[in-house]
Amino acid sequence: MYDTHVHTDFSTDSKMKLEEAMAKATLDNKQLILTEHMDLNYPKPGEFIFDVNEYFKQYSQYRSDDLLLGLELGMTEECLGEGKKIVESHPFDFVLGSIHVVDNLDLYYEAFYKGKVKSEAYGKYLQAMLVCVKNFHFVDSMGHIDYIARYGRYEDKEIYYHEHAEIMDEIFRMLIANDTSIELNTRRFDKKDVIEKLLPIYKRYAELGGKHVTVGSDAHTPEAIGNAERLAKEFAESCKLKIVYYKERKIEYEKV
Ligand SMILES: [Zn+2]
Ligand SMILES: [Zn+2]
Protein backbone atom coordinates (compact mmCIF):
# COMPACT_ATOMS: atom_id res chain seq x y z
CA MET A 1 0.00 0.00 0.00
CA TYR A 2 1.11 3.55 -0.67
CA ASP A 3 2.09 5.89 2.12
CA THR A 4 0.87 9.04 0.40
CA HIS A 5 2.38 11.60 2.79
CA VAL A 6 6.18 11.57 3.18
CA HIS A 7 8.69 14.41 3.60
CA THR A 8 12.34 14.12 2.58
CA ASP A 9 14.92 16.85 3.01
CA PHE A 10 13.36 19.04 0.32
CA SER A 11 10.98 19.91 3.18
CA THR A 12 12.27 22.54 5.61
CA ASP A 13 11.43 20.41 8.65
CA SER A 14 12.79 17.06 7.43
CA LYS A 15 16.33 15.73 7.28
CA MET A 16 15.37 12.39 5.76
CA LYS A 17 17.34 11.44 2.67
CA LEU A 18 15.48 9.89 -0.23
CA GLU A 19 17.73 6.83 0.01
CA GLU A 20 16.72 6.28 3.65
CA ALA A 21 13.04 6.60 2.82
CA MET A 22 13.32 4.19 -0.09
CA ALA A 23 15.31 1.66 1.95
CA LYS A 24 12.65 1.63 4.69
CA ALA A 25 9.85 1.33 2.13
CA THR A 26 11.58 -1.60 0.42
CA LEU A 27 12.09 -3.30 3.77
CA ASP A 28 8.42 -2.97 4.68
CA ASN A 29 7.14 -3.66 1.16
CA LYS A 30 5.45 -0.26 0.81
CA GLN A 31 5.18 2.33 -1.91
CA LEU A 32 5.73 6.02 -1.31
CA ILE A 33 4.37 9.31 -2.52
CA LEU A 34 6.61 12.20 -1.57
CA THR A 35 4.78 15.36 -0.49
CA GLU A 36 7.33 18.09 0.13
CA HIS A 37 6.19 21.23 1.92
CA MET A 38 5.24 24.22 -0.21
CA ASP A 39 3.78 26.99 1.96
CA LEU A 40 4.13 29.93 -0.39
CA ASN A 41 3.41 32.73 2.03
CA TYR A 42 4.92 31.21 5.13
CA PRO A 43 5.39 33.94 7.78
CA LYS A 44 9.18 33.42 7.77
CA PRO A 45 10.28 34.05 4.19
CA GLY A 46 12.25 31.25 2.59
CA GLU A 47 10.99 28.52 4.92
CA PHE A 48 8.67 25.71 3.86
CA ILE A 49 9.21 26.22 0.18
CA PHE A 50 11.43 24.22 -2.18
CA ASP A 51 12.96 24.40 -5.62
CA VAL A 52 10.54 22.37 -7.72
CA ASN A 53 12.84 22.16 -10.72
CA GLU A 54 15.64 20.82 -8.54
CA TYR A 55 13.21 18.31 -6.99
CA PHE A 56 12.31 16.85 -10.37
CA LYS A 57 15.91 17.04 -11.54
CA GLN A 58 17.16 15.01 -8.57
CA TYR A 59 14.27 12.61 -8.03
CA SER A 60 12.86 11.86 -11.51
CA GLN A 61 15.43 9.10 -12.00
CA TYR A 62 13.92 7.22 -9.03
CA ARG A 63 10.33 7.65 -10.10
CA SER A 64 8.50 4.35 -10.51
CA ASP A 65 5.41 2.60 -9.19
CA ASP A 66 7.27 2.42 -5.88
CA LEU A 67 7.99 6.14 -5.72
CA LEU A 68 5.64 8.85 -6.90
CA LEU A 69 6.38 12.56 -6.73
CA GLY A 70 3.92 14.95 -5.15
CA LEU A 71 3.76 18.00 -2.96
CA GLU A 72 1.93 19.23 0.11
CA LEU A 73 0.62 22.65 -0.80
CA GLY A 74 -0.10 24.88 2.17
CA MET A 75 -3.38 26.58 1.31
CA THR A 76 -4.13 30.23 2.06
CA GLU A 77 -6.34 32.54 0.03
CA GLU A 78 -3.38 34.77 -0.81
CA CYS A 79 -1.34 32.07 -2.55
CA LEU A 80 -4.11 30.56 -4.67
CA GLY A 81 -2.81 31.89 -7.99
CA GLU A 82 0.83 31.07 -7.39
CA GLY A 83 -0.02 27.64 -6.00
CA LYS A 84 -2.13 26.80 -9.02
CA LYS A 85 0.63 27.90 -11.35
CA ILE A 86 3.22 25.66 -9.65
CA VAL A 87 0.88 22.67 -9.77
CA GLU A 88 0.02 23.22 -13.42
CA SER A 89 3.57 23.77 -14.59
CA HIS A 90 5.17 20.60 -13.14
CA PRO A 91 4.39 16.91 -13.63
CA PHE A 92 3.36 16.03 -10.08
CA ASP A 93 1.66 12.73 -9.36
CA PHE A 94 -0.25 14.00 -6.36
CA VAL A 95 -1.23 17.31 -4.78
CA LEU A 96 -2.16 17.28 -1.10
CA GLY A 97 -3.71 20.54 0.11
CA SER A 98 -3.25 21.46 3.77
CA ILE A 99 -4.00 24.24 6.22
CA HIS A 100 -0.90 25.10 8.26
CA VAL A 101 -1.16 28.89 8.48
CA VAL A 102 -4.20 30.97 9.47
CA ASP A 103 -4.17 34.79 9.73
CA ASN A 104 -0.47 34.67 8.88
CA LEU A 105 0.23 32.57 12.00
CA ASP A 106 1.61 29.03 11.93
CA LEU A 107 -0.75 26.76 13.91
CA TYR A 108 2.32 25.09 15.34
CA TYR A 109 3.12 28.13 17.48
CA GLU A 110 1.36 29.48 20.55
CA ALA A 111 0.67 32.92 19.06
CA PHE A 112 -2.30 31.63 17.06
CA TYR A 113 -4.06 30.39 20.23
CA LYS A 114 -3.22 33.33 22.47
CA GLY A 115 -6.32 35.23 23.57
CA LYS A 116 -8.66 32.75 21.87
CA VAL A 117 -10.89 30.24 23.58
CA LYS A 118 -10.78 26.83 21.95
CA SER A 119 -14.04 27.15 20.02
CA GLU A 120 -12.85 30.43 18.52
CA ALA A 121 -9.42 29.12 17.48
CA TYR A 122 -10.78 25.87 16.02
CA GLY A 123 -13.66 27.73 14.37
CA LYS A 124 -11.22 30.11 12.67
CA TYR A 125 -9.15 27.17 11.47
CA LEU A 126 -12.18 25.45 9.93
CA GLN A 127 -13.41 28.70 8.41
CA ALA A 128 -10.03 29.12 6.68
CA MET A 129 -10.27 25.51 5.53
CA LEU A 130 -13.71 26.05 4.04
CA VAL A 131 -12.59 29.10 2.08
CA CYS A 132 -9.56 27.20 0.75
CA VAL A 133 -11.48 24.06 -0.11
CA LYS A 134 -13.84 26.23 -2.18
CA ASN A 135 -10.98 27.84 -4.08
CA PHE A 136 -8.30 25.15 -4.30
CA HIS A 137 -10.51 22.71 -6.21
CA PHE A 138 -7.44 21.51 -8.12
CA VAL A 139 -5.91 19.67 -5.14
CA ASP A 140 -6.34 15.89 -5.12
CA SER A 141 -6.82 15.36 -1.40
CA MET A 142 -7.27 17.58 1.63
CA GLY A 143 -4.63 16.90 4.28
CA HIS A 144 -4.99 16.22 8.00
CA ILE A 145 -8.33 17.80 8.98
CA ASP A 146 -7.21 17.17 12.59
CA TYR A 147 -3.94 19.11 12.19
CA ILE A 148 -4.91 21.67 14.84
CA ALA A 149 -5.41 18.88 17.39
CA ARG A 150 -1.65 18.28 17.29
CA TYR A 151 -0.78 21.75 18.50
CA GLY A 152 -3.81 23.46 20.11
CA ARG A 153 -2.87 24.96 23.50
CA TYR A 154 -5.89 23.61 25.38
CA GLU A 155 -6.43 20.95 27.98
CA ASP A 156 -8.36 18.87 25.46
CA LYS A 157 -6.77 19.54 22.07
CA GLU A 158 -8.99 17.15 20.14
CA ILE A 159 -11.23 18.36 17.32
CA TYR A 160 -14.78 17.02 17.49
CA TYR A 161 -17.40 16.72 14.79
CA HIS A 162 -20.25 17.55 17.18
CA GLU A 163 -18.64 20.87 18.14
CA HIS A 164 -18.29 22.04 14.53
CA ALA A 165 -20.96 20.04 12.72
CA GLU A 166 -22.28 22.82 10.52
CA ILE A 167 -18.97 24.02 9.11
CA MET A 168 -17.56 20.52 8.77
CA ASP A 169 -20.62 19.56 6.75
CA GLU A 170 -19.99 22.54 4.49
CA ILE A 171 -16.35 21.52 4.04
CA PHE A 172 -17.33 17.94 3.24
CA ARG A 173 -20.03 18.98 0.77
CA MET A 174 -17.51 21.21 -0.99
CA LEU A 175 -14.87 18.46 -1.15
CA ILE A 176 -17.41 16.01 -2.52
CA ALA A 177 -18.70 18.49 -5.12
CA ASN A 178 -15.14 19.20 -6.26
CA ASP A 179 -14.20 15.50 -6.34
CA THR A 180 -11.44 16.09 -3.79
CA SER A 181 -10.51 13.17 -1.54
CA ILE A 182 -9.84 13.53 2.17
CA GLU A 183 -6.71 12.35 3.90
CA LEU A 184 -6.60 9.96 6.80
CA ASN A 185 -3.43 11.12 8.49
CA THR A 186 -2.06 8.38 10.77
CA ARG A 187 0.45 10.53 12.61
CA ARG A 188 -1.62 10.43 15.83
CA PHE A 189 -2.86 6.86 15.42
CA ASP A 190 -0.68 5.58 18.24
CA LYS A 191 -3.42 6.75 20.62
CA LYS A 192 -6.57 4.65 20.60
CA ASP A 193 -8.79 7.44 21.94
CA VAL A 194 -7.69 9.67 19.06
CA ILE A 195 -8.91 7.12 16.54
CA GLU A 196 -12.26 6.89 18.30
CA LYS A 197 -12.63 10.66 18.33
CA LEU A 198 -11.80 10.96 14.63
CA LEU A 199 -14.29 8.30 13.55
CA PRO A 200 -17.42 10.52 13.68
CA ILE A 201 -15.70 13.07 11.41
CA TYR A 202 -14.96 10.55 8.67
CA LYS A 203 -18.26 8.72 9.11
CA ARG A 204 -20.07 11.98 8.50
CA TYR A 205 -17.97 12.65 5.38
CA ALA A 206 -19.06 9.24 4.08
CA GLU A 207 -22.68 9.84 5.08
CA LEU A 208 -22.75 13.00 2.98
CA GLY A 209 -21.48 11.07 -0.03
CA GLY A 210 -17.69 11.12 0.40
CA LYS A 211 -16.07 8.01 -1.02
CA HIS A 212 -12.30 8.32 -1.04
CA VAL A 213 -9.49 8.60 1.51
CA THR A 214 -5.77 8.86 0.95
CA VAL A 215 -3.74 7.35 3.78
CA GLY A 216 -0.56 9.10 4.85
CA SER A 217 1.81 8.91 7.80
CA ASP A 218 3.25 12.43 7.45
CA ALA A 219 6.66 10.80 7.95
CA HIS A 220 9.66 13.04 8.49
CA THR A 221 11.85 10.09 9.54
CA PRO A 222 12.24 6.54 8.14
CA GLU A 223 10.71 4.95 11.26
CA ALA A 224 7.44 6.83 10.75
CA ILE A 225 6.87 5.55 7.21
CA GLY A 226 3.71 3.46 6.89
CA ASN A 227 2.66 4.20 10.47
CA ALA A 228 -0.48 2.37 11.59
CA GLU A 229 -1.35 1.05 8.15
CA ARG A 230 -3.46 -1.78 9.50
CA LEU A 231 -5.43 0.56 11.76
CA ALA A 232 -5.98 2.92 8.83
CA LYS A 233 -7.41 0.08 6.75
CA GLU A 234 -9.79 -0.87 9.55
CA PHE A 235 -10.73 2.77 10.02
CA ALA A 236 -11.53 3.28 6.33
CA GLU A 237 -13.49 0.07 6.22
CA SER A 238 -15.61 0.98 9.22
CA CYS A 239 -16.43 4.31 7.55
CA LYS A 240 -17.12 2.58 4.20
CA LEU A 241 -14.46 4.69 2.52
CA LYS A 242 -12.22 3.43 -0.26
CA ILE A 243 -8.46 3.93 0.06
CA VAL A 244 -7.04 5.64 -3.00
CA TYR A 245 -3.81 7.22 -4.20
CA TYR A 246 -2.92 9.40 -7.15
CA LYS A 247 -0.56 8.72 -10.02
CA GLU A 248 -0.04 11.38 -12.68
CA ARG A 249 -2.89 13.23 -10.97
CA LYS A 250 -5.33 10.38 -11.64
CA ILE A 251 -7.14 8.50 -8.93
CA GLU A 252 -6.13 4.86 -8.38
CA TYR A 253 -7.72 2.38 -5.99
CA GLU A 254 -5.70 0.41 -3.45
CA LYS A 255 -6.27 -3.31 -3.58
CA VAL A 256 -7.04 -4.01 0.05
ZN1 LIG B 1 0.92 19.16 6.84
ZN1 LIG C 1 3.14 16.84 5.92
Side-chain angles (χ1 to χ4, degrees), residues 96-148:
L96 180 67
S98 297
I99 303 291
H100 299 130
V101 173
V102 176
D103 293 341
N104 207 34
L105 294 167
D106 185 340
L107 300 172
Y108 177 83
Y109 293 109
E110 196 178 354
F112 177 73
Y113 308 96
K114 220 168 180 182
K116 294 187 187 87
V117 295
K118 186 185 172 189
S119 60
E120 191 185 354
Y122 284 41
K124 253 184 184 289
Y125 164 68
L126 291 168
Q127 193 57 49
M129 186 178 287
L130 176 62
V131 169
C132 287
V133 160
K134 272 181 190 163
N135 292 307
F136 285 75
H137 44 78
F138 57 90
V139 308
D140 299 316
S141 185
M142 190 194 71
H144 47 49
I145 191 166
D146 60 326
Y147 182 74
I148 198 164

Side-chain angles (χ1 to χ4, degrees), residues 5-7 11 13 35-37 72 96 98 100 144 147 150 183 185 187 217-220:
H5 193 157
V6 175
H7 297 274
S11 294
D13 58 354
T35 47
E36 309 297 353
H37 281 298
E72 181 177 12
L96 180 67
S98 297
H100 299 130
H144 47 49
Y147 182 74
R150 292 186 197 170
E183 180 188 55
N185 190 290
R187 175 126 153 195
S217 68
D218 217 342
H220 291 64

Side-chain angles (χ1 to χ4, degrees), residues 23-49:
K24 177 69 161 93
T26 305
L27 196 69
D28 294 352
N29 195 23
K30 290 187 206 310
Q31 287 82 41
L32 303 180
I33 305 185
L34 303 184
T35 47
E36 309 297 353
H37 281 298
M38 182 66 88
D39 283 81
L40 288 162
N41 58 345
Y42 192 75
K44 285 184 207 153
E47 291 200 358
F48 292 98
I49 50 172

Side-chain angles (χ1 to χ4, degrees), residues 125-183:
Y125 164 68
L126 291 168
Q127 193 57 49
M129 186 178 287
L130 176 62
V131 169
C132 287
V133 160
K134 272 181 190 163
N135 292 307
F136 285 75
H137 44 78
F138 57 90
V139 308
D140 299 316
S141 185
M142 190 194 71
H144 47 49
I145 191 166
D146 60 326
Y147 182 74
I148 198 164
R150 292 186 197 170
Y151 307 118
R153 303 299 202 273
Y154 305 99
E155 200 179 308
D156 179 3
K157 298 192 283 193
E158 207 49 58
I159 187 163
Y160 297 99
Y161 174 73
H162 68 267
E163 288 180 356
H164 303 280
E166 205 174 310
I167 189 155
M168 279 199 194
D169 281 1
E170 270 194 83
I171 291 168
F172 295 153
R173 286 200 175 95
M174 194 53 67
L175 290 173
I176 293 160
N178 288 341
D179 218 4
T180 306
S181 297
I182 192 167
E183 180 188 55

